[in-house]
Structure formats: C-alpha cells, structure tokens
Amino acid sequence: MTKKTYRILFTLILGLTVLNHLWFITRSPWDWDEPVYTNIANQAMLRGYPAFQIHSQKLDYYAFNPPVHIYLLANWFRVFRPSIQTGRGLSTIIATATVAMAMITMRVMSKSARASLLTGLMLAVDGWFAYSSLLVKFDTMSIFIGMIGILVVALALRRDSLSLALGAGMIIGFATVYKHVAGLFIIAFVLHWIFARKNSRFYVSVLSGAGIIILAYIGIMLLTVGEPFVNATAVQFRRTFGLQEARGLQYGVGQILNALLQTYWAFAGSILLAVAGSVCMFYQGFRLWRNRSAELSLIVSWGLAAAGALAAIKLRNPFYLGFLIVPVTMLAMRQIDLWLDSERRWVTNLAASLLTLLIALNLETFLIRTTEFSKVNALQETQHELRNLPENVHIISEEPICALIQQPCYPIGNNQSLDEIEKIKPEYIVIYTSVTQEVPQHGAIAALVAQSDQIWEVTGWKEHIILYRTPYNR
C-alpha cells in the first residue's frame, strides 16, 4: 500500500467516524449524565468554577469529578450555545481524534498499514464506541490521552530513553487525573514491567512521571478546593467499589446478563468484537507470561489492566467498557490482518467472514439506533412535562431530572430520610428506573411512592420514568 493510498483511506475513515457521530447528535436520546455535566460546565462558564445548579441547592464547588474536562467543556460553551447537542459536538471531535490515535498507534507498533486502517474502520463503525463516545462524558478524552502515553512509551522503549519514559508517565498521570478510572493505564505499565522482567529503571521512570502529575493534582485540589474535594473523592471511591449506595450502579452478574438480553442486545457487533479481541488478548498475555514475545505487548497489557479493573469494580459503569473495547479492537484487527496473509485458504476466508460479520452487525446497530432507540427521548419528554407544572411546586427526583427543570428540585440521593421529606413536603416525585435501577424498595422514598398517585410516564430505549402526585398535593 502506498503512502498516498494510506493517507486517503485514513482520512476517509475519520470522515466516516464524524458522520456516524453527527447523524446521532440530535437523534440519540439523552443519557443520565449528560444533563448533569452540561449543567456543571455551564456554571463553570458563568461562575468560573464547577457547580451543579438546581433551584434548591447551594452552589458549592462540584468535586465529584476531576475538573479538567468541565473547564474544557465550559470554554467550548463560550463559543457555542450551552446545550447537550453542542456538548456532543465536542465529543465528536474527541472521538474522531481517538480513532486517529488508534490508527497511528497501530501503525507505529505493528508497522502494518492494513492493521492500522482495519482498527480505525472498526472503531468508526462500532456501535458501542460510536454511542458512548458521542455522549457528554469524560471517558473518551481520557482514553485518547492514555493512548498518547502508550505510544510515547513504545517510542521510549525503542530509543531506551529515560527522559522520554518520564514524559510518557506524565501523560499517563494526566489521563488519570482527567478521569480517575484511567489509572488502569498505570496498572498496564506495571503489568508490562512484570512481563518484561528487566529494565526496571525505565519503568520506574514511567511510574515516577505519573506519580509527579497525580501528586501535583492532589496538592492543587487540596489547596484550591479543600474539604469538598476530599469528601467527594471518598464518596466516588466508595461508590465505585460498592461500599456506598449509588442509584443505577448497584447490580450483580444476573442484572448485567438481563440488561444484555433486554436492552444491549442491539450492540451485538460490539459484544462479538469484545469477545474475539479478549480471546486474542488473553492468548497474547499467556505468551508474555511464558516469556515469549508479543508484538503489541503494550496493548495487551492495557487490555488486561482494563479487564482486571472493570472486573474489580464489577463494571459499575458500562461506559467504562470503552477502556477495554479500544485495545481489544486493536488486537482483534491485527489478528485478522495476519490471517488475511495466511497461505491457508480457510484461514483467510475465516478472517474475511469475521470482518464482514462485524461490519454487518454494526450496521444493524446503526439502524436500530436510528429507528427503535431514537423513537423517544425520555429525559427530554420528562423535561417538557415537568415544565408544564407550576413554578413553585417542590419535586424530588434524580440529579439529571433536577438539572433539566426550573422548579425547586431535591435529588433523591441527598433526601432519603422521613425528616428530610417532611421538611421538603414535595408535591411531586419523579422516579427513574431501568434494568439495573429499580424503584426504591425500602425507606421513606419507597413509602412516599406507595402513597402517591401515578399521573404520567414515559419509556425510552433503556429507561422508564414515572411522575407521581404525592399526598402533599391533595
């Protein structure tokens, strides 16, 4: 393949990525976090610091997520009108940059133009990556930054450069403070060190660079934010590891399988790719453990670290799957690339068939997202319904719904006791449910729902939202 041909195909794949995102900017229903992050970034733009603005809440510093992406989104909103749709525009740029970085990384590590292009093509059409990377979230940007770190580490290994290793570690550290789950990139380098069994000075340099950035971040946040940062960080860690209740994130294996069968079946191509890529990853990981070479050892280590981290936190957030999907896609596409050069006809046919099947399944996902999943934007419908209520009524609901309305709204997570409910005297309560998030079964909220009258409901592709009139409004 000539350089010119590669560049043309590279550009076309990026164009396909952009189109696959732009098509859904207004069509894809809003997700749980999007109203919240849009609200926080808008307040950062207006006030100079992240804050969650709802009628009933004091505007304290919002420290439950690292602030870097919030400030990036806030500056984006200075140029464009603050909204979920314009936030998705920024996400489209980030997703496209991530696909480009995946192709560049694969080209540098494998020296195969075809493997590079296959990786980009599969990420461009992959249903789950296209969906999750469109949303107003932090994850894709941290994957992009972490992948830059991996590429720089690969270059540092080739040149045996400790200074370049230190710089790569600082990039990885920045990915970690951008989104804390990206700390799995640090785990990846520890794994790679274990596999290598040599060159300890190099890996110490990488980890030192990451440590410098992380410690600097903690110091800056302690000095500038203080106690809210400490408390919010502790809450997030407890939620992540299941030590504290987090609505929608407390589920087991049975509920995950149920969600796959009832809701996420439409992403069959992504599931097949994740399984196939994981097989390649574990095989290559076994080779590395047996002290054998693996061409994409850094990518294998990344994938294993992601798989281990997601298992440890019991996949509390399905959007963290992006940290696994990208490396296993790279590994699967490199394997298909090698099979296409096989002298055995059945092997090349198998590779071509698997590639065709993956593209066909992801095309089916595209059609399902366009038709079935785009029929009802449940959160937007709820926003319209609640705006018809009087301005002075008090509502208890989830954070994303509170972020969308003007009436006094009290998040369920902060107002669950009987005393708090008696103090608020809410005329309405709005309950958000999904396969992994049920109506509260116990406590004051459950009792309030049991005594209330259902007056409106809406069902989206993965959520069911019900509006109740409470006894305080009779």
Side-chain angles (χ1 to χ4, degrees), residues 91-111:
S91 297
T92 296
I93 295 172
I94 294 169
T96 306
T98 303
V99 173
M101 183 53 60
M103 287 193 283
I104 292 168
T105 302
M106 180 62 79
R107 181 67 188 270
V108 171
M109 291 188 176
S110 71
K111 297 183 174 62

Side-chain angles (χ1 to χ4, degrees), residues 402-422:
C402 288
L404 290 171
I405 60 177
Q406 299 301 314
Q407 293 96 337
C409 188
Y410 302 80
I412 287 176
N414 300 332
N415 300 279
Q416 296 191 9
S417 72
L418 181 60
D419 288 342
E420 289 164 338
I421 291 175
E422 283 293 333

Side-chain angles (χ1 to χ4, degrees), residues 51 103 119 123 178 186-187 207 236-237 329 375 393 410 442:
M103 287 193 283
T119 296
L123 287 175
Y178 201 96
I186 297 175
I187 300 173
L207 296 175
Q236 289 294 70
F237 274 103
T329 297
K375 282 182 178 178
V393 297
Y410 302 80
H442 308 285

